[in-house]
Amino acid sequence: MAEREQVRKPTPVEREPAEQASPAASERSDEIKAELDDLLNEIDEVLESNAEDFVKSYIQKGGQ
Amino acid sequence: MSIPKTIGIETEYGIVHRGTEDPNPIAASSVLINAYLYEAGYRSEDGKDTVHWDFINETPGLDARGYVSTASMPPDVETHLVNAVLTNGARYYVDHAHPEISTPECADARSVVLYDRAAELIAQRSMVAANAILPPDQEIVLYKNNSDGKGNSYGFHENYLVDRTTPFGRIVTHCISHFVTRQIFTGAGKVGSETPGQSTDEVPYQLTQRADFFEEEVGLETTLKRPIINTRDEPHADARKYRRLHVIVGDANPSQISTFLKVGTTALVLALIEDDALSREFVFAAPVAALRQVSHDLTLAQPLELADGTTATALEIQWELHDQSRKYVEANGVENVGGVVALEVLDRWEAVLTGLEVDPMTLATQLDWIAKYRLIGGYRERHGLDWRDPRLKALDIQYHDMRPERSLATRVGLEQIVDDVEAARAMSEPPSNTRAFFRGKCLQLFSEAVVAANWDSLVFDVGTDALRRVPMMEPLRGTEAHVGNLFHECDSATELLRRLGS
């Protein structure tokens, strides 16, 4: 059996282009944050009105 | 030798009947499915009826290991409940107190996503149709999830056609390593744990719905002591040539990308297993514990103990499977792994593993467990809530709500692989490139002459003395290329059967 070291980890050059810190990536990350904020603003409108009762009453018969 | 990977998936939906004192999920599932069958024209008041599922030749107790253990109980088959065949080749029925839709046989991962989306649209239309006939203060709601958070699970199953000559032991070894580690992109996410004795404090959030419910490595059961590898040996095809690998360990995914990768990567890994192309075995010291460990580890960094005393992370094992699959496709082509769709699977697989390695949150519009985590985590922070707060569990369940206006999976803006116009057509049109084409077209054109149908045959009554059974033991025969002209040229089932020579 091969040693663990032989599991080839992807090299950063190949698979981690240094986009992480690039302006494009941080812009995208800001966008995602803004979208999440909008979503969280809406969520109380769609959330079941009595969460505790809803969760308690969500009972399923087991299946496969 | 690898064979083309015909694939189908089965989804049991969670069901809630609101506004009634004593809800009965079996009755509610029947109301739901019957409402759809009337609404979509399968049934009518003037006596038109659906084509029923034919249980002949169904033998769910056969075990791939070549024996039947007395401790193994074959699953019950409920033959008396509503069980219809649809014109897209799918099956829609009541199973274990849940409505279940099995997709038609598909030839690639994209087709599976299309028919899974069509099934969601069928589920939505069923709710609307059922709620129109229920009293105004009642409502049936479906959830595409796999757990009620109280220790009850209901399934999502995958089926893959594999070469009968492939040693089953080899399938077991490599599939366990894939099924345990693919959870990092297939998980639908869950608040809390349902592993006995484990609390939400210990596991506030995990990658999958189902990992808590698996207790064995290999076995025949599907409802208790669930095994990572299910040994049901019922190919619904020529048993001398084929096996159907029945996979019960996955989650149902609202995310199309999770579904695409779940079946696409598994089809690839199975082809490599058939051709004995996986050079390294990853055998876990304790597979069931590893399944839960991966599901419970949001860092994706925990080393998993291997039987040889070394360790590997889920990401490392997935990279190895990805790299081997890419090499395999470069050497062998894509013919048996879903055609050009396999190239898209490889590219998305690589992109998702890269994203998981760099920052999982970059995949918040692609993978379910991340989309749900971001939503629930954001809500929790905003309101300063404890993980045990019922509002977080409510968000978890509502992520899977099938009502478009309530579904949080819809709200988080998941990327789609198939559009809804195409999926709406797939509610009634079969895939063109598997035997589901023949089944679906016969039901579209000659349903009055079809007495019953199942995966591997159709039974006709054309007014002669005996019923006529047309066997379909080859999943890739009966395609549009093969029999499409017959449906243009025959204007009756009698003529069709004459031309088929049966």
Side-chain angles (χ1 to χ4, degrees), chain B residues 310-336:
Chain B
T310 64
T311 62
T313 67
L315 261 170
E316 284 168 347
I317 294 173
Q318 279 299 312
W319 272 123
E320 174 75 9
L321 291 169
H322 163 271
D323 292 351
Q324 295 280 342
S325 298
R326 202 174 272 284
K327 265 191 225 155
Y328 174 89
V329 163
E330 280 161 11
N332 299 280
V334 292
E335 196 186 342
N336 288 347

Side-chain angles (χ1 to χ4, degrees), chain B residues 50-67:
Chain B
T50 45
V51 172
H52 294 284
W53 196 256
D54 179 12
F55 287 97
I56 197 163
N57 298 334
E58 300 239 329
T59 47
L62 285 186
D63 195 309
R65 292 163 296 183
Y67 60 87

Side-chain angles (χ1 to χ4, degrees), chain B residues 90-364:
Chain B
R91 176 185 182 191
Y92 192 14
Y93 59 117
V94 183
D95 195 17
H96 294 275
H98 298 272
E100 173 160 344
I101 303 179
S102 304
T103 66
E105 301 89 331
C106 297
D108 60 61
R110 192 186 178 283
S111 183
V112 172
V113 172
L114 178 67
Y115 282 91
D116 189 42
R117 179 61 187 151
E120 291 179 4
L121 296 178
I122 288 170
Q124 289 177 348
R125 203 155 139 195
S126 301
M127 284 191 290
V128 172
N131 293 332
I133 55 175
L134 286 174
D137 52 346
Q138 293 188 21
E139 184 182 21
I140 290 175
V141 183
L142 298 180
Y143 296 85
K144 191 186 188 187
N145 60 7
N146 302 105
S147 140
D148 67 357
K150 300 169 186 69
N152 299 308
S153 186
Y154 31 101
F156 166 81
H157 297 173
E158 301 146 68
N159 301 287
Y160 301 88
L161 199 71
V162 293
D163 181 4
R164 170 66 65 179
T165 61
T166 304
F168 194 66
R170 198 197 296 159
I171 295 176
V172 171
T173 301
H174 291 295
C175 279
I176 288 181
S177 56
H178 183 49
F179 294 159
V180 166
T181 56
R182 71 175 189 169
Q183 295 182 97
I184 60 177
F185 51 81
T186 64
K190 182 167 77 176
V191 171
S193 169
E194 291 166 279
T195 295
Q198 203 164 43
S199 71
T200 302
D201 292 332
E202 290 164 85
V203 181
Y205 186 85
Q206 60 177 307
L207 309 193
T208 76
Q209 296 259 308
R210 289 273 273 175
D212 290 331
F213 299 98
F214 284 75
E215 298 172 53
E216 309 274 345
E217 285 171 48
V218 181
L220 191 59
E221 286 85 358
T222 54
T223 55
L224 38 90
K225 288 193 175 177
R226 294 184 183 89
I228 298 172
I229 301 290
N230 183 275
T231 54
R232 183 183 295 187
D233 189 5
E234 193 188 14
H236 299 312
D238 186 341
R240 292 164 302 177
K241 293 164 68 178
Y242 306 118
R243 220 184 249 300
R244 172 180 60 119
L245 184 67
H246 186 55
V247 180
I248 68 169
V249 75
D251 286 353
N253 290 110
S255 157
Q256 295 184 3
I257 293 174
S258 291
T259 302
F260 183 74
L261 286 174
K262 181 173 54 189
V263 296
T265 62
T266 303
L268 277 162
V269 167
L270 285 167
L272 270 73
I273 293 171
E274 286 169 325
D275 284 333
D276 208 5
L278 285 162
S279 48
R280 169 139 196 218
E281 286 185 357
F282 294 92
V283 179
F284 297 111
V288 173
L291 185 78
R292 290 183 190 171
Q293 189 184 350
V294 170
S295 184
H296 296 175
D297 173 25
L298 301 188
T299 70
L300 311 178
Q302 281 183 17
L304 304 166
E305 281 181 33
L306 303 180
D308 64 1
T310 64
T311 62
T313 67
L315 261 170
E316 284 168 347
I317 294 173
Q318 279 299 312
W319 272 123
E320 174 75 9
L321 291 169
H322 163 271
D323 292 351
Q324 295 280 342
S325 298
R326 202 174 272 284
K327 265 191 225 155
Y328 174 89
V329 163
E330 280 161 11
N332 299 280
V334 292
E335 196 186 342
N336 288 347
V337 286
V340 289
V341 173
L343 301 176
E344 195 190 337
V345 172
L346 284 169
D347 288 348
R348 283 196 183 271
W349 195 359
E350 180 173 351
V352 157
L353 294 180
T354 303
L356 288 169
E357 202 158 56
V358 175
D359 174 9
M361 283 306 136
T362 58
L363 303 171

Side-chain angles (χ1 to χ4, degrees), chain A residues 1 4 15 46 55 58 61, chain B residues 98 150 308 311 354 406:
Chain A
M1 176 69 71
R4 178 181 174 234
R15 285 174 179 141
V46 286
V55 170
Y58 187 80
K61 286 234 165 102
Chain B
H98 298 272
K150 300 169 186 69
D308 64 1
T311 62
T354 303
R406 289 277 183 173

Side-chain angles (χ1 to χ4, degrees), chain A residues 1-41:
Chain A
M1 176 69 71
E3 291 298 310
R4 178 181 174 234
E5 282 65 36
Q6 288 185 350
V7 179
R8 189 163 62 78
K9 274 277 279 184
T11 63
V13 184
E14 267 182 12
R15 285 174 179 141
E16 286 179 40
E19 271 178 31
Q20 265 287 287
S22 75
S26 83
E27 246 172 58
R28 177 68 192 133
S29 158
D30 288 347
E31 253 175 57
I32 288 180
K33 270 205 191 85
E35 284 164 16
L36 179 62
D37 277 340
D38 289 348
L39 182 60
L40 292 175
N41 291 339

